[in-house]
Each structure stands twice: as C-alpha cells, then as structure tokens.
Amino acid sequence: AVDTIALAAYRRSVANFVNIVTGRNDIPVTFNDGNDSYTDGKKVVISSNVKDKNFDSIVGLALHEGSHIKLSDFDFLKELANGYVINKEVILKAGKKGYSEHEVTMHLKNLLNYVEDRRIDNYVFTTSPGYKGYYHSMYEKYFYSKIVDKALTSTEYTDENMESYMFRIINLTNKNTNLDALNGLRQIWKTLDIKNISVLGNTEIAFQVALVIYSIILDNLKDGIEETDEDGYVTTKPNDGSND
C-alpha cells in the first residue's frame, strides 16, 4: 500500500521547490500518471509517482518547470504557436524542402524548446548551484538512456533528414554525441554555444538561435520532391528517404 502521509509530504516538498524557484506561492502543482510534465506559465503538472527512489529527479523536473514560469515568455510562445513570429523567408526555404507552414512551426517550437531548456537550466545552475544534484538526477532519469547512447555511437540517425537532426540536437549534451554524424552538426553546436548560453537573456533571443539552427538544418537537406496529383495540383514532399 502507498503510504499516503509520506506521499502527501513528498508532494508538498516538490511543490515547495516550485515556490522557491519562482519566488511565488500561487502556482498550483498537480501530479498525474501521464507522460509529459509541463507548465503553461500558470500551473505545473508533474507526471510521475513520487517515491523515495525518484524523489530527486522529480524535484529536478519541478525546478525545471518552475524556472520556465520565472524566465520564459509565454506570450511569445503563444505567438510562435500561431506562426506570428516566423518570417516568410524561413517558410519559403522550408517549403522548398517539402515542409508545410504548420510543420515549420512545430520544428521551430521543438528547437526553441531545446535552446530555452538549456538557457533556463543554466540560470538555475549558476544562481542556485545547490540544486545541481536534482538536475543531474532528472537528466539521468529522463534523458540519458542506454538506447540513446547506443544510437548516438551507431550509424543510426546519420542521414541528412529532419528526424536525424532533431535526434542529434536534443542529445548534443550527451557524452556520446558525435558532431561529425551529420553535415552542419558541428556548426549547430557552435551556434548553441552552451558554455556562453547565459548571454541569451530571454525567450526571444533564444528563438533567434533556434532560427539559425533551423536554417543550418535546411541548408543541409535535399530539396523536396514535387508531386502532381490528378487535378494538376503540385505539392512538395521531403526528399529524406521516407517516401521510397
């Protein structure tokens, strides 16, 4: 049986970390059994069962989501979700590679999320070094897995397509990362410039970095394949081997 008193204490303790990192006490923290932990800027949802053995990694998650509330610009994120902040050049460039406006928005959202995560984690690392252990536990549990390690050292995800770039980018800080696995990956690593990530003062600046990274990816993809349907309507599909 689950010790409900211990569970309640754990949950209170996790919620406390959110209060500390945000400097606020009006952020509700809820727990569920889903796959995603997230925040919308007003509340934090942690999807995990709090137990002794995973307490540190869950505190890491809570700190991470709490620092989003403190540091991320949720109005800007909404504008991105609606495609308002993406310039037409990028949409045209991606269109030549076979990606729709909606797909461009999704790609940029994922890339910004990655850059923004590095930015806010670095902020907590540098302002509250005592929390580092919780973050390391979170990374160990959620990001570093044997399957990922193996994929990074293999020939998987070494074709220049969107999936390969996204996989290699979100694992750039893994010790098994191989910057020669894809064209442009080394340039992406330099653009991200993890050591100096603190110069990215806000979400909008982080987005500019995400845009540069996206541009490097697009430069290294083959042009899309044009297909004409029976009504003479021409569409462009990515030329990434997924249609072979």
Side-chain angles (χ1 to χ4, degrees):
V2 177
D3 184 340
T4 46
I5 295 172
L7 185 63
Y10 277 145
R11 289 183 167 184
R12 257 201 318 281
S13 179
V14 169
N16 248 342
F17 278 103
V18 172
N19 294 344
I20 293 164
V21 80
T22 56
R24 292 166 57 177
N25 55 13
D26 60 341
I27 307 284
V29 179
T30 54
F31 296 83
N32 70 17
D33 296 333
N35 298 322
D36 289 337
S37 298
Y38 65 90
T39 180
D40 58 3
K42 296 181 177 70
K43 64 177 184 295
V44 169
V45 177
I46 302 283
S47 70
S48 194
N49 294 320
V50 190
K51 295 191 280 292
D52 243 349
K53 67 176 192 305
N54 65 357
F55 180 71
D56 283 6
S57 62
I58 290 171
V59 169
L61 272 180
L63 288 168
H64 176 80
E65 299 304 341
S67 58
H68 264 302
I69 293 175
K70 184 179 174 66
L71 299 162
S72 289
D73 180 343
F74 285 88
D75 291 335
F76 182 85
L77 295 173
K78 271 196 206 84
E79 287 187 3
L80 172 59
N82 294 320
Y84 298 149
V85 290
I86 303 169
N87 67 41
K88 292 287 172 269
E89 261 170 73
V90 176
I91 291 163
L92 282 172
K93 188 172 178 177
K96 288 200 181 93
K97 306 294 178 179
Y99 295 106
S100 68
E101 204 162 323
H102 172 69
E103 286 170 316
V104 173
T105 304
M106 294 313 294
H107 294 155
L108 283 169
K109 199 169 151 235
N110 290 338
L111 287 169
L112 171 58
N113 199 24
Y114 179 72
V115 178
E116 186 76 339
D117 281 356
R118 303 290 71 73
R119 177 179 89 83
I120 65 172
D121 287 354
N122 175 73
Y123 172 86
V124 178
F125 265 34
T126 47
T127 55
S128 314
Y131 290 156
K132 266 190 179 174
Y134 296 122
Y135 275 86
H136 289 315
S137 295
M138 171 182 73
Y139 287 132
E140 283 299 321
K141 181 167 170 51
Y142 295 100
F143 297 105
Y144 301 147
S145 71
K146 290 199 167 56
I147 299 167
V148 170
D149 289 350
K150 200 171 164 215
L152 287 171
T153 53
S154 74
T155 55
E156 280 182 78
Y157 302 104
T158 53
D159 292 327
E160 275 74 21
N161 59 36
M162 194 56 74
E163 195 189 359
S164 294
Y165 280 102
M166 290 299 184
F167 175 79
R168 294 273 169 186
I169 287 167
I170 61 168
N171 292 298
L172 272 172
T173 55
N174 183 304
K175 63 182 185 299
N176 298 294
T177 195
N178 171 11
L179 295 177
D180 297 316
L182 294 168
N183 289 329
L185 201 57
R186 204 168 275 283
Q187 196 185 348
I188 288 168
W189 174 248
K190 282 194 183 118
T191 301
L192 188 62
D193 196 11
I194 293 265
K195 277 206 277 303
N196 297 304
I197 199 106
S198 59
V199 301
L200 307 182
N202 59 41
T203 305
E204 219 166 315
I205 300 170
F207 179 65
Q208 295 308 318
V209 173
L211 269 176
V212 174
I213 291 172
Y214 192 47
S215 193
I216 296 168
I217 296 171
L218 294 175
D219 286 341
N220 286 290
L221 299 181
K222 291 179 191 153
D223 280 349
I225 299 162
E226 287 194 355
E227 290 179 355
T228 311
D229 68 11
E230 57 224 28
D231 302 322
Y233 187 72
V234 179
T235 52
T236 307
K237 294 274 187 296
N239 182 6
D240 60 5
S242 61
N243 303 321
D244 295 350

